[in-house]
Amino acid sequence: MKFTCLNKGNGFHLPPCYVLHVSGFRILLDCPLDLSALTVFSPVPADFCPSLLDESSNCSFHESLNMESKSAKRHKIEKPLDAKDLIYAEPWYKTLKNLHIWDPSFIDIVLISSTMGMLGLPFLTRSKGFSAKIYATEATARIGQLMMEDLVSMHMEFRHFYGSEESDSPQWMKWEELELLPSFLREMAIGQDGSELGGWMPLYSSVDVKDCLQKVQKLKYAEAACHNGALVIKALSSGLDIGSCNWTVESPEGNISCLSSSIFVSACAMEFDYRALQGADLILYLDFSSEDVIEDVEHHDNYSSPTTNNLSTLSDEDNWKELNECLLRNDESIEESKKLAFICSCVVDSVKAGGSVLIPLSRLGIVLQLLEQIPISLESSAVKVPIYVISSVAAELLAFTNIIPEWLSKLRQEKLFSGEPLYSHIELMKGKKLYVFPAIHSPNLIANWQEPCIIFAPHWSLRLGPIVHLLRRWCGDRNSLLVLEDGLDADMALLPFKPIAMKVLHCSFLSGIRMTKAQPLLKILQPKIVMFPEVLKQQINVSKLNSHSFSVLYYNENETLDIQSFKDNVDLEISTNLANRFCWRKLVQNNMDVTRLEGQLLIDESKHWLVSGNKVSDTSQNRPLLYWGLLDMGKLLTILSKMGISGSIEQGLNDAESDSVGIIQIHGPNKALIEVRATRTVITAPDENLAALIFEAISTLLDGI
Amino acid sequence: MEDVPLANKLLLLANVARLHSSIMAYSGAGQEVGKSCVVVSINGKRIMFDCGMHMGYDDHRRYPDFSLISTSGDFDSALDCVIITHFHLDHVGALPYFTEVCGYNGPVYMTYPTKALAPLMLEDYRKVMVDRRGEEEQFTADHISACIKKVIAVDLKQTVQVDKDLQIRAYYAGHVLGAAMFYAKVGDSAMVYTGDYNMTPDRHLGAAQIDRLQLDLLITEFINVAAGGKVLIPTFALGRARLVLTILLIQELCILLDDYWERMNLKVPIYFSAGLTIQANMYYKMLIGWTSQKVKETYTTHNAFDFKNVCNFDRSMIDAPGPCVLFATPGMISGGFSLEVFKHWAPSEMNLVTLPGYCVAGTIGHKLMSGKPTKINLDKDKQIDVRCQIHQLSFSPHTDAKGIMDLVKFLSPKHVILVHGEKPKMASLKERIQSELGIQCYVPANCDTVCVPSTVFVKAHASEMFFQSCLSPNFRFLNESSEDTSDSILERTNGKSRFQVTDERVAEGILVMEKSKKARVVHQEELLLMLGEKQHEVQVAYCCPVHVDNLDEARRDHISADDVLGLSNKCSWLQQLFTELTTDFPGWNIQNLGEHLQVESFHVSLCWKDDCPYRIIDSPRKKLAAVFFCCTWSVADGKLAWQIISTMEKCRLTVQNLNQNTD
């Protein structure tokens, strides 16, 4: 098995990306899009209003802007970045540099672990020669589709503004233009060595998205998909977000678990089903979420020092229980809900002060919780302001979350069983507390418009979508609030909107396994081998990891690791039809029983099966085909004479010489000859019968099968 | 070998104990709904499929006889899990009794919709029993909720590992929302229990969907129901009638109605009498993903369960003028709101009352269905005239004999067990399955036990070399004459002869058993390594004379025969022999390798040694007119080799150079 980490990603919005080569199949794990790179572009300029501008004015405006920015750039003095430094052009989208050098026709399978890991998929599926089968969970596929459609629809605004582009490489991608960029932007655009320039692509169309989705096989929860008989692929919830999953791949080489960013106790999505990953031979630890997290040392010791000492004295069962309790401790979820409560209180404060609140539509789970908790907070502080969700796909997204109980947390499922709606947004919409509009210029929104208000809108990169216009409206209002998720360079993101008076609340949410839990988790899963990111080596207690029964291999970005075998033995399932035909032969010296085996080899459900084939074994005639040992010529003569065949030893066999030849002449019933060597006997007879008789005599003297 | 450990494993059996057969329902006046409860023991694991209640009995007979599972009452150790296929009472009705009263504490599996809807059904039934009859309740409302809490909900196709050995999986059955067939696998043995299913897709629930599985056993429900629900629609279209649909949980019909209303542009309102049905509707909205693809796709624009024409019914509306459709509970008109409405609406012949598929004896519903009463006594001194039309509804689609045949044929299990049906019909179906499909079929009676053998595969480790050898191609090239009429494309394009390549790979290896070690499959060369021995090859050799027509002539003309018989003829004789052999042995891949010919292990080359040890010649005359071909082969190919020898001895070659020289 070969394993390559193409990109370690960056936080929730850019999951890592891998290629796995197992049992002859090349599997690509996730195909994300680096949307944070969008910040090198300018949002659609401020004065632009699509409905008011006609073509001509549009063009001239564009030109003048370009001129202006260019002249500024020529000065080439490194000063603090300015909004004018950004690229004023229809944005392109950045795919992963190490992925775009791969030939898409080499990929056999694509596994999608989250909606974020899906956004770059249409680039792949529309490329020539792509024929891989894509697997994603039903929920991920649907939500991912909505995200991509939203991206396409938001991008339309740029199309309207810049006009449709024809050339294959836009102006800004020319080297002389890139040279003019401030070094910070240049690095974002092309990477340190310029190698990332090739990753930029013009956005896919809605047709591409549709085609892409047609190639996706949507799987149910823990549905076992059998790929070509050789692999059994299963998606198990990771708890990260609705529909996100960890993949397990069963292959004849062994069972592999791809452990992506996972959350043990999750408020919305179905919890991380780590028990289902037990018994894998190999665990690919793909969670980089704790890379930049510096963990509290005291907290760290919480598990490792005092408890491990006790562990050795405990019985296995207690040990097991304790490990599980450690993993499922709800400290994380309490922390997360505290964060949400804090956001709610900030929201209420802003609204009370007469400001509006802008929340980018990013993590679905978080948004759904805020949609539920903000109205409660508002109500408890007796504030009445409308909440708007503005997105081309918001209505469908919200409706969808109410019909997928199978992908929600246990707590949400309880709502189903007690007959309550899974999420309260339907009630809120009916109660006129929450409004959903497809776009900022929707007539109903204008009719309904009321400030202050709370708005959820895309896109979190702050470069496209309704959020751009709303930010411009409120960025100067010191009472307004923008809730910004970490993982995005805030300075860079807010650059076009400076100076900013509005409050910006930075928040980060748990987006993977905490290092403190990684160790007990691996202990519970009991794999044979763990592939672990080298960059996290510092954070996990290496000596403790190594003391476990499994071995740990460390991997780096863009480095292929070859794992020879992680399963001791390959199993073969032999059908009883064949087993009933076995002719056992006892080898006394070696104390073993052997039998010949013949059949048809099949591979199904990642197992090897030997069944009786079409050809019934007529060639073997129950006669051994393989002989070993030395032939005793004297004994042979005795046996032959019993069979009525007379002969004499013409030349004896010299044991000392390895190539010596012994010869037996057969006189009757016909003339024949037996030539005996250490590893070879040759029978020469004038007819089939005599040859067969002699052979029979020989076979009684040799060991064989 | 004194003990053959492999053989023992082959004797394992799957025991199928059927606790209660169920008697057919829904036919004519005879109403009796059976109960389903089947216990299967498969490779040592025991699973209870369904835990149904018999609606026809009031006493202990209403529950399956659980003592058959365990006389001591320790059900937790007697069963590994309970699986419920769908929410109908004849499949789930006894579950609270079993878990809360009998004390079964093990896992119970059902699909999400079944887990959501089953408690509604159970609670409704409990209320009817207790409220109407003042019966002593067999289980309480708390029992129901406690029971449902223990249930593990599963998604369709989700592979659930119940324990290390037992794996189960639900498949779409299309009977009612959430109905599933269940697949169970223990070791190499696998089976499917269908529950009720439907093989023909209708508007909102698709047909059953299942993978082609390797099954030892298929247990299929057999209920034959005449479809009835849709017949109702024309009646509604009259537009004059007010009707009471006293049906519980018949959302399927709601969709149908709502849809129909929309198409016909009818303005007649559809009402719910609040309570249960509204609540059920909530579930249906969230579970729209479990309906057919078509219904599912409309969830945003219009959730099919967001009925446009459906609204809540108010008591004051009972005597309001104008037509309407009302869904009221309880379904058997045993009291409550449906009875109240019935009192008002029964006397008019303009009205229609539709009854559910079953009604407990003693209820008004039951009275209405058995015969055509014109008067019904409500109690001792109250009587109402019944002039309204009565329609009995059996809505939930079940499968028919054709559906069962289709499923059995599709799955091709090794054995079939039919349950839940009428004896004569089941017997005839059994005959059909056995004669048409050649599959062993059983129709067990109540409490019968059926045993079927289970599949067992012998497990062994296998070496890399063994797999490599299996994967190496085994090509056979065949030239077929043009007379062979075949419609292959190759032939048509070639016109004359067809070249056929076959690649029948035969996996060959050696199974090795050592004491206290797992069986191992190795390649034969590996076996020798294991033994530390070298192969001893046993070959047969024969130096075969072949007649050459003009050999004597050639020898006369030339002083040194060997000159002539040298290089060029060596090749030509081998070539001539090659031609001979290819015509005589068309099915074999004979190769001309220049110095020798090769077929399988049979090796033939010209022999110039006068004292060749493999030459056993009696007649010297033969020797003169012949050249010798030395043949060797390994004993396995003896049969073929001797055939070739006899051909060679018969055939005649010529010296070609001689002719050229004389020319």
Side-chain angles (χ1 to χ4, degrees):
Chain A
M1 192 213 78
K2 281 182 187 153
F3 172 72
T4 315
C5 170
L6 295 182
N7 194 300
K8 67 187 176 66
N10 182 17
F12 175 83
H13 292 289
L14 185 62
C17 174
Y18 302 85
V19 173
L20 189 66
H21 192 165
V22 63
S23 294
F25 296 94
R26 278 195 193 79
I27 305 172
L28 174 69
L29 192 67
D30 281 337
C31 186
L33 208 53
D34 185 1
L35 289 170
S36 65
L38 270 182
T39 49
V40 302
F41 291 94
S42 162
V44 168
D47 329 44
F48 172 63
C49 176
S51 52
L52 297 179
L53 279 175
D54 61 326
E55 279 304 303
S56 55
S57 66
N58 175 0
C59 266
S60 59
F61 173 69
H62 175 198
E63 216 111 288
S64 66
L65 228 166
N66 241 353
M67 294 300 284
E68 200 184 328
S69 63
K70 252 183 210 167
S71 60
K73 282 175 195 164
R74 292 231 162 78
H75 291 297
K76 195 83 180 135
I77 309 158
E78 290 295 333
K79 45 172 190 177
L81 278 178
D82 188 80
K84 287 186 180 122
D85 292 329
L86 297 173
I87 299 169
Y88 283 79
E90 182 187 332
W92 278 33
Y93 292 77
K94 200 177 176 189
T95 60
L96 300 180
K97 89 169 181 194
N98 293 324
L99 178 60
H100 75 87
I101 25 185
W102 269 72
D103 185 342
S105 61
F106 285 167
I107 301 167
D108 302 299
I109 299 168
V110 183
L111 301 179
I112 299 296
S113 68
S114 68
T115 47
M116 294 304 150
M118 194 177 175
L119 299 183
L121 204 53
F123 288 124
L124 197 65
T125 53
R126 76 175 182 185
S127 57
K128 219 175 172 185
F130 177 85
S131 60
K133 187 142 192 180
I134 305 164
Y135 294 96
T137 65
E138 272 186 331
T140 297
R142 185 78 194 115
I143 297 169
Q145 182 184 10
L146 293 175
M147 295 294 180
M148 291 191 278
E149 283 170 358
D150 200 27
L151 201 59
V152 171
S153 96
M154 286 187 285
H155 187 84
M156 286 311 287
E157 203 178 346
F158 285 102
R159 284 273 160 87
H160 287 144
F161 180 69
Y162 292 107
S164 56
E165 198 164 326
E166 276 156 40
S167 80
D168 281 347
S169 66
Q171 187 68 17
W172 66 269
M173 276 180 99
K174 302 221 162 88
W175 278 109
E176 50 281 21
E177 291 282 326
L178 292 167
E179 287 290 311
L180 290 175
L181 286 176
S183 58
F184 182 74
L185 285 186
R186 193 167 57 236
E187 203 180 309
M188 265 183 97
I190 63 173
Q192 275 171 334
D193 50 357
S195 61
E196 289 171 25
L197 184 65
W200 289 94
M201 301 268 219
L203 189 63
Y204 38 75
S205 65
S206 54
V207 176
D208 292 332
V209 175
K210 216 173 162 188
D211 286 349
C212 166
L213 261 295
Q214 265 166 4
K215 291 175 184 158
V216 176
Q217 172 150 354
K218 290 133 194 133
L219 297 185
K220 297 264 187 190
Y221 185 79
E223 175 180 348
C226 198
H227 186 91
N228 265 24
L231 304 180
V232 176
I233 296 169
K234 237 190 274 181
L236 300 150
S237 60
S238 69
L240 184 65
D241 210 349
I242 297 171
S244 65
C245 65
N246 293 316
W247 291 97
T248 62
V249 179
E250 286 168 35
S251 77
E253 274 185 60
N255 299 345
I256 303 166
S257 290
C258 307
L259 180 53
S260 301
S261 296
S262 303
I263 297 178
F264 286 94
V265 184
S266 148
C268 268
M270 181 169 236
E271 291 83 0
F272 174 25
D273 185 0
Y274 62 91
R275 287 185 186 91
L277 305 182
Q278 257 168 345
D281 298 298
L282 174 70
I283 285 185
L284 306 175
Y285 193 93
L286 314 177
D287 188 341
F288 282 89
S289 63
S290 50
E291 190 190 353
D292 302 319
V293 181
I294 295 132
E295 279 178 21
D296 187 355
V297 180
E298 262 172 71
H299 184 81
H300 193 136
D301 282 346
N302 204 354
Y303 162 71
S304 37
S305 56
T307 25
T308 27
N309 293 342
N310 296 339
L311 282 182
S312 52
T313 58
L314 289 170
S315 70
D316 271 358
E317 203 172 309
D318 289 338
N319 191 341
W320 189 254
K321 215 176 140 194
E322 192 153 334
L323 283 170
N324 275 306
E325 274 169 11
C326 166
L327 294 181
L328 296 176
R329 208 181 293 156
N330 59 357
D331 47 356
E332 285 173 354
S333 62
I334 289 172
E335 220 171 286
E336 294 302 296
S337 54
K338 274 185 190 161
K339 285 179 200 166
L340 290 175
F342 181 67
I343 295 173
C344 288
S345 72
C346 292
V347 168
V348 171
D349 290 347
S350 288
V351 174
K352 270 186 175 166
S356 290
V357 180
L358 199 48
I359 304 169
L361 206 57
S362 69
R363 285 174 69 163
L364 187 57
I366 303 286
V367 169
L368 287 170
Q369 287 180 74
L370 285 175
L371 274 178
E372 219 161 48
Q373 290 178 19
I374 290 176
I376 297 170
S377 300
L378 290 176
E379 205 152 318
S380 66
S381 23
V383 189
K384 259 191 133 175
V385 291
I387 302 172
Y388 302 114
V389 182
I390 306 170
S391 153
S392 61
V393 297
E396 197 160 349
L397 199 57
L398 291 180
F400 183 68
T401 55
N402 249 337
I403 64 159
I404 42 165
E406 303 85 11
W407 285 99
L408 301 184
S409 66
K410 287 273 163 315
L411 225 64
R412 294 280 160 189
Q413 288 185 356
E414 278 312 311
K415 294 200 166 204
L416 164 74
F417 299 131
S418 54
E420 291 169 51
L422 300 168
Y423 288 100
S424 60
H425 46 248
I426 289 181
E427 286 304 304
L428 291 169
M429 278 153 78
K430 273 190 192 149
K432 308 257 181 226
K433 286 177 183 160
L434 175 69
Y435 299 90
V436 177
F437 298 106
I440 199 154
H441 47 76
S442 307
N444 286 339
L445 175 60
I446 295 160
N448 241 302
W449 186 257
Q450 200 185 315
E451 263 180 281
C453 58
I454 298 159
I455 293 190
F456 289 84
H459 183 264
W460 55 267
S461 67
L462 308 186
R463 286 299 180 271
L464 53 150
I467 203 163
V468 172
H469 305 282
L470 296 164
L471 252 181
R472 287 216 173 97
R473 186 179 179 91
W474 291 327
C475 63
D477 176 9
R478 56 178 58 253
N479 289 324
S480 290
L481 174 72
L482 171 69
V483 178
L484 211 53
E485 205 183 320
D486 269 1
L488 188 65
D489 183 336
D491 273 343
M492 186 69 191
L494 292 169
L495 194 62
F497 309 99
K498 278 180 176 169
I500 289 173
M502 84 189 289
K503 288 190 218 93
V504 180
L505 176 63
H506 294 270
C507 49
S508 74
F509 297 101
L510 185 67
S511 53
I513 305 168
R514 288 250 168 92
M515 262 308 131
T516 45
K517 290 193 174 177
Q519 209 170 303
L521 173 65
L522 291 174
K523 200 167 177 177
I524 282 188
L525 299 185
Q526 294 179 308
K528 291 202 183 85
I529 304 173
V530 176
M531 302 281 278
F532 205 75
E534 179 94 48
V535 289
L536 295 182
K537 200 174 175 179
Q538 298 301 320
Q539 299 196 30
I540 195 153
N541 195 330
V542 180
S543 62
K544 270 200 189 108
L545 261 191
N546 289 345
S547 70
H548 296 318
S549 53
F550 51 85
S551 55
V552 183
L553 299 171
Y554 296 96
Y555 65 87
N556 281 312
E557 204 176 44
N558 215 17
E559 181 183 280
T560 300
L561 282 182
D562 197 347
I563 302 152
Q564 280 311 326
S565 89
F566 46 92
K567 198 177 177 186
D568 308 329
N569 282 296
V570 183
D571 291 320
L572 180 69
E573 314 269 328
I574 305 161
S575 84
T576 40
N577 285 355
L578 285 179
N580 289 336
R581 290 208 294 260
F582 286 162
C583 302
W584 291 98
R585 197 176 167 117
K586 200 166 187 74
L587 305 178
V588 185
Q589 276 164 305
N590 307 82
N591 193 22
M592 58 168 76
D593 299 272
V594 291
T595 175
R596 245 176 211 286
L597 187 66
E598 187 189 275
Q600 203 181 353
L601 186 74
L602 303 175
I603 300 174
D604 190 26
E605 291 177 342
S606 82
K607 282 182 184 160
H608 293 281
W609 307 86
L610 196 68
V611 298
S612 48
N614 327 336
K615 204 169 104 176
V616 185
S617 52
D618 55 342
T619 46
S620 62
Q621 301 154 348
N622 294 330
R623 179 174 281 175
L625 299 166
L626 178 71
Y627 294 93
W628 60 91
L630 285 175
L631 189 59
D632 186 319
M633 290 168 71
K635 277 186 186 167
L636 180 60
L637 271 185
T638 323
I639 291 174
L640 285 173
S641 69
K642 272 183 195 160
M643 296 165 94
I645 299 166
S646 66
S648 59
I649 298 177
E650 193 157 290
Q651 188 180 316
L653 194 62
N654 188 349
D655 288 342
E657 277 177 65
S658 61
D659 55 348
S660 96
V661 185
I663 292 168
I664 295 177
Q665 280 285 356
I666 302 293
H667 312 300
N670 271 314
K671 268 179 84 177
L673 184 91
I674 305 166
E675 208 178 70
V676 183
R677 286 183 177 83
T679 59
R680 196 162 96 113
T681 299
V682 181
I683 306 163
T684 307
D687 60 84
E688 193 175 349
N689 273 345
L690 186 58
L693 284 172
I694 295 171
F695 173 64
E696 210 179 301
I698 291 171
S699 63
T700 57
L701 290 170
L702 288 171
D703 274 323
I705 179 155
Chain B
M1 255 175 101
E2 45 196 274
D3 58 328
V4 185
L6 299 175
N8 287 335
K9 293 182 189 163
L10 314 179
L11 301 172
L12 292 171
L13 294 176
N15 301 311
V16 179
R18 190 165 151 59
L19 290 183
H20 278 266
S21 77
S22 352
I23 301 148
M24 252 279 311
Y26 305 148
S27 64
Q31 275 102 54
E32 218 177 1
V33 173
K35 56 182 179 280
S36 287
C37 184
V38 174
V39 173
V40 178
S41 118
I42 166 171
N43 276 358
K45 297 281 168 189
R46 284 181 107 195
I47 308 165
M48 181 195 281
F49 290 99
D50 283 336
C51 190
M53 150 191 289
H54 200 303
M55 306 294 290
Y57 295 113
D58 295 339
D59 51 13
H60 69 276
R61 283 176 299 174
R62 119 176 31 155
Y63 298 123
D65 184 358
F66 294 122
S67 69
L68 287 171
I69 304 168
S70 164
T71 42
S72 67
D74 181 10
F75 297 111
D76 289 354
S77 51
L79 286 178
D80 290 282
C81 71
V82 173
I83 292 172
I84 305 293
T85 58
H86 63 279
F87 63 70
H88 281 163
L89 287 174
D90 52 331
H91 293 260
V92 73
L95 187 66
Y97 179 79
F98 187 51
T99 62
E100 304 312 306
V101 181
C102 301
Y104 171 73
N105 254 318
V108 180
Y109 295 92
M110 49 178 92
T111 62
Y112 282 92
T114 309
K115 182 175 175 181
L117 297 165
L120 299 189
M121 291 298 269
L122 290 165
E123 181 56 26
D124 183 62
Y125 174 76
R126 193 194 62 82
K127 267 193 193 145
V128 170
M129 286 297 123
V130 176
D131 295 352
R132 192 183 60 82
R133 303 199 174 170
E135 251 178 44
E136 196 188 323
E137 54 187 12
Q138 300 278 341
F139 50 80
T140 64
D142 288 344
H143 281 153
I144 296 173
S145 66
C147 162
I148 294 299
K149 270 221 168 67
K150 292 178 187 167
V151 171
I152 301 162
V154 299
D155 200 352
L156 292 177
K157 294 197 180 176
Q158 177 181 350
T159 307
V160 181
Q161 206 73 42
V162 176
D163 58 35
K164 213 172 106 280
D165 305 306
L166 173 59
Q167 196 180 69
I168 61 167
R169 195 183 301 152
Y171 286 97
Y172 189 77
H175 167 59
V176 288
L177 196 73
M181 309 193 218
F182 273 88
Y183 167 80
K185 186 181 173 190
V186 183
D188 298 315
S189 297
M191 60 159 297
V192 162
Y193 176 82
T194 64
D196 293 334
Y197 59 100
N198 166 35
M199 291 295 282
T200 42
D202 64 32
R203 293 190 56 78
H204 50 282
L205 289 175
Q209 285 164 13
I210 192 160
D211 296 334
R212 207 177 281 269
L213 301 156
Q214 294 276 345
L215 296 179
D216 295 303
L217 174 63
L218 173 71
I219 303 180
T220 172
E221 294 270 341
F222 181 83
I223 288 192
N224 215 340
V225 184
K230 287 156 201 172
V231 185
L232 277 177
I233 302 297
T235 329
F236 297 156
L238 294 174
R240 298 178 289 119
R242 287 197 301 188
L243 78 164
V244 205
L245 289 168
T246 52
I247 307 168
L248 179 70
L249 285 176
I250 219 100
Q251 306 309 109
E252 289 93 343
L253 187 65
C254 283
I255 287 202
L256 210 73
L257 276 178
D258 201 50
D259 196 69
Y260 185 78
W261 255 231
E262 217 177 305
R263 271 190 294 136
M264 302 300 286
N265 202 15
L266 292 176
K267 296 281 178 263
V268 177
I270 304 171
Y271 294 112
F272 279 142
S273 73
L276 222 44
T277 328
I278 291 289
Q279 201 187 344
N281 205 43
M282 192 73 204
Y283 290 101
Y284 272 73
K285 270 193 231 173
M286 286 186 273
L287 294 166
I288 194 165
W290 290 74
T291 55
S292 76
Q293 196 61 33
K294 216 174 129 193
V295 176
K296 193 159 55 177
E297 276 160 8
T298 63
Y299 69 91
T300 14
T301 47
H302 171 50
N303 191 316
F305 296 105
D306 262 334
F307 303 116
K308 281 187 199 137
N309 298 296
V310 176
C311 24
N312 280 340
F313 191 77
D314 195 278
R315 216 164 282 265
S316 62
M317 293 155 127
I318 295 180
D319 288 321
C324 71
V325 180
L326 172 68
F327 287 74
T329 54
M332 304 169 188
I333 322 187
S334 51
F337 194 68
S338 58
L339 180 62
E340 204 177 321
V341 177
F342 181 74
K343 282 187 218 161
H344 285 84
W345 291 4
S348 166
E349 59 272 12
M350 302 244 297
N351 294 341
L352 170 71
V353 173
T354 303
L355 292 162
Y358 59 82
C359 287
V360 174
T363 60
I364 292 179
H366 186 256
K367 283 178 198 156
L368 290 175
M369 282 195 276
S370 40
K372 280 192 179 147
T374 49
K375 278 189 186 347
I376 280 184
N377 294 321
L378 288 176
D379 45 47
K380 274 179 222 146
D381 36 45
K382 232 181 168 183
Q383 205 179 45
I384 46 169
D385 292 329
V386 179
R387 289 194 207 93
C388 63
Q389 299 170 59
I390 309 287
H391 194 285
Q392 191 196 343
L393 186 69
S394 52
F395 192 78
S396 310
H398 288 78
T399 193
D400 54 3
K402 187 185 174 298
I404 295 174
M405 287 299 283
D406 288 348
L407 185 76
V408 172
K409 199 171 167 190
F410 176 78
L411 289 173
S412 298
K414 297 205 178 85
H415 308 270
V416 176
I417 294 178
L418 296 177
V419 295
H420 216 168
E422 274 177 341
K423 272 254 156 66
K425 280 188 182 164
M426 296 223 292
S428 82
L429 188 65
K430 174 190 167 175
E431 279 312 306
R432 275 187 71 192
I433 288 172
Q434 297 199 143
S435 61
E436 287 177 34
L437 303 174
I439 296 170
Q440 187 66 45
C441 184
Y442 309 86
V443 186
N446 237 3
C447 309
D448 265 3
T449 298
V450 178
C451 288
V452 299
S454 59
T455 302
V456 174
F457 279 84
V458 179
K459 288 171 185 57
H461 290 319
S463 72
E464 184 64 21
M465 196 170 174
F466 167 74
F467 286 121
Q468 289 299 331
S469 74
C470 296
L471 295 175
S472 59
N474 179 24
F475 291 124
R476 269 174 194 272
F477 304 94
L478 289 176
N479 266 314
E480 280 186 12
S481 61
S482 54
E483 289 133 59
D484 188 355
T485 48
S486 161
D487 59 348
S488 98
I489 299 160
L490 253 177
E491 194 200 18
R492 264 185 270 136
T493 47
N494 277 2
K496 282 174 189 168
S497 78
R498 193 164 74 126
F499 188 58
Q500 210 180 43
V501 185
T502 61
D503 180 13
E504 268 179 38
R505 296 179 194 189
V506 180
E508 275 178 306
I510 290 163
L511 183 64
V512 182
M513 294 279 303
E514 274 179 282
K515 274 247 163 64
S516 74
K517 274 191 191 169
K518 195 165 177 184
R520 236 177 105 69
V521 178
V522 296
H523 188 255
Q524 62 179 32
E525 278 168 34
E526 286 176 300
L527 177 70
L528 293 173
L529 277 174
M530 285 168 78
L531 300 170
E533 295 276 359
K534 278 184 185 150
Q535 185 180 1
H536 191 117
E537 214 180 334
V538 182
Q539 285 189 316
V540 184
Y542 186 78
C543 199
C544 177
V546 178
H547 186 84
V548 178
D549 276 343
N550 43 5
L551 189 62
D552 288 339
E553 203 182 322
R555 286 211 172 111
R556 271 201 311 275
D557 293 354
H558 296 268
I559 304 148
S560 164
D562 286 351
D563 286 348
V564 187
L565 305 176
L567 296 160
S568 58
N569 263 314
K570 249 191 200 175
C571 291
S572 94
W573 280 333
L574 208 60
Q575 180 61 40
Q576 284 176 47
L577 184 67
F578 177 68
T579 319
E580 289 280 340
L581 293 182
T582 31
T583 43
D584 278 27
F585 298 89
W588 297 91
N589 177 26
I590 302 167
Q591 286 171 285
N592 185 352
L593 298 167
E595 287 289 300
H596 67 272
L597 305 181
Q598 181 100 35
V599 199
E600 304 288 309
S601 72
F602 186 87
H603 176 287
V604 53
S605 58
L606 272 165
C607 180
W608 299 109
K609 284 185 278 183
D610 282 335
D611 57 345
C612 178
Y614 310 135
R615 202 173 292 175
I616 302 165
I617 294 302
D618 297 329
S619 111
R621 197 168 53 81
K622 217 176 180 180
K623 186 180 171 181
L624 274 177
V627 286
F628 284 88
F629 286 92
C630 225
C631 306
T632 56
W633 62 92
S634 69
V635 279
D637 293 315
K639 212 171 176 181
L640 169 70
W642 287 109
Q643 279 170 7
I644 295 175
I645 299 279
S646 80
T647 305
M648 282 168 70
E649 282 179 333
K650 272 182 247 157
C651 82
R652 285 162 178 270
L653 307 178
T654 52
V655 180
Q656 290 178 341
N657 283 33
L658 191 67
N659 300 337
Q660 279 161 19
N661 285 356
T662 45
D663 289 346

